[in-house]
Amino acid sequence: MMTATPAVRVDKDEFRAAVLRHLTYSLGKDADHAQITDWRLAFSFAVRDRIVDPWFASTRASYAAQAKRVYYLSMEFLIGRLLEDAIINLGLRDVAGEVFADLGVDFETLLEDEPDAALGNGGLGRLAACFLESLSTLGVPAYGYGIRYEHGLFRQSFDKGRQIETPEDWLHQRHVWEFERPEAAFRIGFGGNVALAGQGAVWTPAETVVASAFDTPVIGWQGRWANTLRLWAAEPEHGFDLARFNQGDYAGAAAPEAAARTISRVLYPDDTTDGGKRLRLKQEYFFTAASLRDILRRFDSEYNDLRLLPRKVAIQLNDTHPAIAGPELVRLLHDEKGMALDEAIATARGCLSYTNHTLLPEALERWSESLMGDLLPRHLQLIERIDAAHAKDHPTRSVTMIGGGDVLMGPLAFGMAHRVNGVSGLHTDLMKKTVFAELHRLHPERIVNQTNGVTPRRWLLAANPRLSGLITEAIGDGWIDDLERLADLEPMADDAGFRAAFAAVKRANKEDLATFLAQGGAEVDPAGMFDIQIKRIHEYKRQHLNILETIALWQEMRDDPHADWVPRVKIFGGKAAPGYFFAKEIIHLINAVSETLNSDPVTSHLLRVVYPANYNVSLAERLIPAAELSEQISTAGKEASGTGNMKFALNGALTIGTLDGANVEIRDLVGAENFFLFGMDAAAVEDRRKIAGHADHAIAADSRLARALAAIRDGVFSRDDSRRFAGIADNIAGEDKFLVASDFTDYWRAQREVEQAYRDQDGWNRAAVLNTARSGWFSSDRTIRGYMAEIWDAPGIAAE
Ligand code: F58
């Protein structure tokens, strides 16, 4: 393997000295008075020092090889904590643990002191973070580009069961991983007017902000390669207005600065509200334009022929959020560099590719022409030209990039990309048949599938040290960067000793989780089955199906508490978009059910519901290793892929799920007998939706469902306000867009099958081992290799 630098070697005394040196000289603290955060910062600086050399070496190697670079443009990077990732990849974990044990500092507390960087909403952002790590592990010269939000995803707490949002504040402490690059700054314009000049045009913006870069190195496995995550912060073009300040107008003097900084102030929580649309488009253009300028600057430093661009630059658009990259790159090439328009479009397309993450119509981005024209007047003109050129080359009436007064970002991204990918086999097929059917007919080679993956370094090695230890003992450590080697575990599923060891790991992880939950006030018995659903709260993900089945089960348990029940702990985690009323109602209901059930003297030893607040990457790292049952129950055809589903299977949980997203591939790989399938498939869903009164039919046919709905409607979980949750019951019994009622009966059946399987602990453990052994394909290393071969045409330079 060609590498930029050999794996880093560590000497314990040297490392201890480095930590103490940073404590003294970088933080100005004496060891006797250092607080946990001081130790954590000193530790992080010492670790960071060991990243810088491989980072530089990687950059030098990329230039030396004149390698094609991959640029991953994403509004979100849900990176979580970085310290543990770094020490794992540098092979420092054991040494560091010993150093802090000697120093008398609790290592776990130290790691947990780091704020969880939540610069993303959910799967899309977490995927981007896994990809960055895999790109470094595989030695692909790459940059992640995004926004340095001052406030990431809001912090969630519960007040009487209701979600409360407060601002997240990850930057309130020194953020040690980033390097400020004031020299890498670009002026980004908005509004103003356009004067046609020759073939091109001159755009004079009315407002300008400065995009200023902050770089975070991302180190790959064994420290062999490091790439850069470059995040842009918005700053005012001019400092504050001294003249106004001197006149006593303090607020006015600071206003331009505040307006500029607003652009990188907060992560957009979701697009369910109208407010903030203008700001959202500004954010999108802001980071996309800065990134493209930076990419061209780097290209220009190496080459002087723009026609080489597609051979040297691959730009991946993570959903349509950076889709303005198409017209912006055309503008840079055509208006600013003088390339003919057709050639500029073809050149831009040669660089760009686009990943679609959703088929939900309400989530497909569109911007009114008036907003686009107001904020980005030249871009609107160019989009019209791009659309016209496409229509000329591919005459059809049913495809346009502008329609109904809106610019349609999906078709625009499609039209400006040489490859468009879905994120699971099913999702990609549905893309071809639905949202992009006509574009697919016109460009049959363009859509490809790249099923998502997750990085095994974080989601197995770091998150589940017990299981990784057991695996390494059994098959060696080659699985860490070649996850399909987990297949070597397969024969051990038949080895009773191994199964027992595997089960002991799970039990210990459950006990750890129980201890953690107890700190938050929730008592759970680790002997019960740990059944977990963690993800954003959304109707299509159907947390309400899960809680409805929980209610029905509780009712049956009360009817016959002495029957042979399998004790269960139902764990939920996830945030609802602040403007998504129904999702917040679901949270409230889950918490209300939890209160009723957990205090029921008849059943509380059999069934408990817990909902730890503020689900984030770090909480996922605690929950997943302890899970036995993974709930992946979305309405078929709606979940593009899922990545949590992969993390659970990898960590030995069995899935109860629909034929949706990557569940399909998980089931194929782990084996149908090790997966609890239920529900309608995507085609059946579409048919059922057309039947008037589908929910009524389902309720009439299932008395358990009717009884559970009645309990919600009658206020069993809201004694002080009996109608509080009636809206949820009415929705399920009414429009029921996501077919909760219609899938309930089969879900109930599958859950009983789960219990039957769980009663045979040995059989269950065998299936759990097989889930781990057969999940190797879900490594994001495999996904990135797919992008390299089929989308980017970038071989990488440190790859095998
Ligand atoms: C998710 N999308 C898909 N969007 O729902 C999931 O199936 C898939 O596994 C994942 O992408 C990765 O491909 C997603 O997370 C968002 O978070 C949007 C971001 C912009 C605002 C609206 C939500």
Side-chain angles (χ1 to χ4, degrees):
M1 180 180 274
M2 181 184 147
T3 56
T5 183
V8 188
R9 252 197 294 278
V10 207
D11 175 87
K12 185 177 152 191
D13 293 335
E14 209 183 291
F15 191 68
R16 176 193 161 104
V19 173
L20 289 168
R21 198 168 50 245
H22 275 295
L23 188 70
T24 311
Y25 299 107
S26 305
L27 295 157
K29 275 285 167 99
D30 180 51
D32 292 340
H33 298 108
Q35 308 284 308
I36 195 78
T37 300
D38 301 318
W39 283 116
R40 199 247 309 157
L41 294 175
F43 179 23
S44 304
F45 277 125
V47 172
R48 194 182 76 170
D49 287 351
R50 288 166 184 269
I51 295 178
V52 173
D53 287 330
W55 189 29
F56 287 178
S58 304
T59 305
R60 279 190 216 108
S62 307
Y63 276 97
Q66 296 212 311
K68 184 168 188 175
R69 289 189 185 80
V70 171
Y71 296 104
Y72 198 80
L73 268 59
S74 179
M75 282 290 270
E76 306 191 2
F77 287 94
L78 192 43
I79 47 186
R81 292 180 177 139
L82 295 178
L83 178 54
E84 192 175 14
D85 240 23
I87 56 174
I88 286 272
N89 278 356
L90 290 170
L92 273 168
R93 185 161 71 173
D94 293 347
V95 167
E98 287 168 28
V99 165
F100 284 102
D102 292 353
L103 289 166
V105 179
D106 182 63
F107 196 51
E108 284 303 309
T109 315
L110 190 72
L111 295 176
E112 275 157 34
D113 182 62
E114 184 178 7
D116 187 289
L119 309 184
N121 277 293
L124 170 151
R126 184 53 232 172
L127 184 75
C130 283
F131 279 6
L132 286 184
E133 200 274 348
S134 280
L135 283 161
S136 290
T137 289
L138 295 173
V140 182
Y143 283 76
Y145 276 117
I147 298 179
R148 183 178 180 271
Y149 301 105
E150 243 173 82
H151 303 285
L153 187 61
F154 64 86
R155 208 170 277 155
Q156 178 196 55
S157 56
F158 298 131
D159 179 23
K160 300 196 187 72
R162 286 196 171 87
Q163 172 173 292
I164 303 293
E165 302 107 29
T166 46
E168 185 279 345
D169 215 6
W170 70 298
L171 289 174
H172 79 284
Q173 287 171 356
R174 197 157 158 187
H175 182 49
V176 295
W177 301 107
E178 68 184 6
F179 294 89
E180 190 169 357
R181 304 283 189 224
E183 74 285 4
F186 297 95
R187 298 169 68 229
I188 308 297
F190 298 99
N193 46 57
V194 178
L196 293 178
Q199 293 296 308
V202 176
W203 171 32
T204 313
E207 178 196 346
T208 304
V209 299
V210 172
S212 185
F214 288 78
D215 287 351
T216 301
V218 179
I219 189 86
W221 173 236
Q222 293 191 323
R224 292 187 291 239
W225 190 269
N227 285 318
T228 304
L229 170 60
R230 174 161 279 194
L231 299 178
W232 301 103
E235 286 168 7
E237 194 182 11
H238 307 291
F240 82 120
D241 188 338
L242 186 60
R244 276 166 94 173
F245 188 87
N246 286 339
Q247 286 158 11
D249 180 7
Y250 306 124
E257 178 172 355
R261 293 198 196 281
T262 300
I263 293 182
S264 52
R265 185 92 67 201
V266 277
L267 167 77
Y268 199 61
D270 203 340
D271 43 13
T272 44
T273 55
D274 269 349
K277 282 225 183 296
R278 187 182 173 87
L279 177 59
R280 171 82 169 172
L281 181 56
K282 274 182 134 176
Q283 288 186 325
E284 294 186 355
Y285 179 65
F286 164 78
F287 99 95
T288 304
S291 308
L292 289 179
R293 227 71 68 80
D294 204 35
I295 292 167
L296 285 189
R297 177 195 55 74
R298 194 169 297 112
F299 176 86
D300 285 341
S301 75
E302 285 188 277
Y303 311 101
N304 52 19
D305 181 355
L306 283 168
R307 288 171 305 182
L308 285 177
L309 212 51
R311 276 170 48 196
K312 296 295 173 188
V313 168
I315 302 172
Q316 190 68 33
L317 307 179
N318 197 22
D319 216 292
T320 55
H321 317 141
I324 197 69
E328 172 68 1
L329 189 49
V330 170
R331 189 186 72 79
L332 293 170
L333 295 174
H334 178 58
D335 290 354
E336 299 203 350
K337 308 258 187 189
M339 191 183 269
L341 184 68
D342 285 352
E343 194 181 358
I345 294 174
T347 305
R349 187 179 295 125
C351 299
L352 295 167
S353 35
Y354 150 57
T355 306
N356 172 282
H357 295 269
T358 183
L359 303 174
L360 294 182
E362 63 272 26
L364 295 173
E365 280 194 304
R366 36 165 74 215
W367 301 107
S368 74
E369 279 186 82
S370 66
L371 176 60
M372 184 70 82
D374 193 36
L375 274 183
L376 301 169
R378 178 57 181 155
H379 297 78
L380 182 59
Q381 290 174 352
L382 287 169
I383 292 166
E384 284 161 359
R385 303 273 299 268
I386 293 166
D387 195 20
H390 184 266
K392 188 163 141 264
D393 293 344
H394 307 279
T396 169
R397 260 172 299 147
S398 50
V399 172
T400 54
M401 298 173 189
I402 301 176
D406 287 338
V407 177
L408 309 173
M409 301 309 270
L412 174 64
F414 193 113
M416 285 305 303
H418 66 281
R419 286 283 180 278
V420 176
N421 76 286
V423 289
S424 73
L426 175 67
H427 167 64
T428 302
D429 282 349
L430 291 172
M431 261 169 76
K432 292 180 181 170
K433 289 185 191 141
T434 61
V435 268
F436 295 129
E438 183 61 5
L439 280 162
H440 174 56
R441 194 184 65 75
L442 297 174
H443 305 281
E445 77 304 331
R446 201 166 289 186
I447 298 184
V448 295
N449 178 55
Q450 298 301 336
T451 299
N452 285 164
V454 302
T455 167
R457 272 73 62 187
R458 181 178 289 241
W459 293 108
L460 184 50
L461 182 60
N464 198 344
R466 289 190 184 98
L467 184 56
S468 2
L470 179 67
I471 295 171
T472 298
E473 231 172 73
I475 62 169
D477 66 1
W479 60 272
I480 299 171
D481 61 352
D482 182 6
L483 199 61
E484 295 196 51
R485 291 216 205 156
L486 289 181
D488 295 347
L489 289 174
E490 220 179 298
M492 290 172 216
D494 294 323
D495 171 340
F498 186 79
R499 283 200 303 270
F502 197 93
V505 162
K506 188 61 83 182
R507 174 67 192 222
N509 290 343
K510 288 169 67 182
E511 279 165 14
D512 279 359
L513 179 59
T515 307
F516 171 79
L517 292 172
Q519 288 159 10
E523 293 293 329
V524 300
D525 181 354
M529 181 204 300
F530 278 22
D531 164 343
I532 307 190
Q533 186 173 20
I534 42 175
K535 46 186 80 246
R536 285 301 287 256
I537 310 301
H538 205 294
E539 284 159 277
Y540 85 78
K541 295 179 187 282
R542 299 200 295 192
Q543 284 89 357
H544 50 336
L545 173 59
N546 188 346
I547 201 67
L548 196 61
E549 193 273 336
T550 307
I551 294 168
L553 177 59
W554 172 65
Q555 292 172 324
E556 298 235 334
M557 284 175 165
R558 285 185 65 94
D559 290 345
D560 187 5
H562 301 296
D564 178 25
W565 299 109
V566 172
R568 266 208 216 214
V569 179
K570 286 240 165 206
I571 303 172
F572 291 82
K575 299 178 182 179
Y580 190 173
F581 177 77
F582 196 80
K584 292 171 108 172
E585 288 290 290
I586 293 173
I587 292 179
H588 196 183
L589 174 64
I590 297 171
N591 280 323
V593 170
S594 160
E595 211 183 305
T596 306
L597 271 57
N598 295 358
S599 59
D600 182 339
V602 181
T603 60
S604 65
H605 61 295
L606 296 173
L607 181 60
R608 285 193 177 235
V609 175
V610 291
Y611 196 155
N614 202 37
Y615 174 65
N616 58 13
V617 174
S618 305
L619 187 52
E621 290 169 8
R622 283 183 188 280
L623 293 169
I624 291 168
E628 292 172 296
L629 187 67
S630 155
E631 299 270 353
Q632 307 301 335
I633 61 175
S634 51
T635 315
K638 302 300 168 201
E639 188 69 88
S641 163
T643 46
N645 48 2
M646 302 169 185
K647 295 166 195 167
F648 278 109
L650 182 61
N651 281 277
L654 275 61
T655 305
I656 181 165
T658 47
L659 278 182
D660 202 14
N663 292 354
V664 176
E665 284 140 286
I666 292 176
R667 179 168 172 268
D668 284 348
L669 283 165
V670 306
E673 65 287 3
N674 301 309
F675 184 109
F676 301 95
L677 179 70
F678 77 96
M680 288 174 278
D681 66 12
V685 161
E686 286 316 309
D687 291 345
R688 182 65 59 93
R689 270 195 172 154
K690 291 181 199 132
I691 300 175
H694 53 79
D696 285 340
H697 301 316
I699 297 166
D702 189 332
S703 57
R704 286 191 190 97
L705 170 58
R707 179 152 82 135
L709 285 170
I712 295 175
R713 199 178 274 120
D714 297 346
V716 171
F717 310 105
S718 52
R719 297 276 178 215
D720 55 331
D721 172 6
S722 63
R723 301 291 298 155
R724 180 174 298 141
F725 300 118
I728 296 181
D730 291 347
N731 181 289
I732 295 173
E735 185 193 13
D736 196 20
K737 204 167 149 201
F738 296 100
L739 301 171
V740 168
S742 296
D743 266 347
F744 178 89
T745 308
D746 204 32
Y747 182 51
W748 173 274
R749 175 202 56 74
Q751 287 286 19
R752 305 295 77 77
E753 220 177 83
V754 167
E755 280 154 8
Q756 201 45 39
Y758 197 77
R759 287 190 183 97
D760 167 16
Q761 275 292 297
D762 215 33
W764 183 278
N765 293 335
R766 185 172 186 282
V769 172
L770 289 176
N771 264 269
T772 298
R774 296 174 178 173
S775 288
W777 190 72
F778 295 105
S779 167
S780 46
D781 300 344
R782 183 269 309 153
T783 315
I784 288 296
R785 285 201 178 94
Y787 278 78
M788 288 162 70
E790 293 171 37
I791 298 180
W792 300 330
D793 192 20
I797 53 177
E800 288 136 309

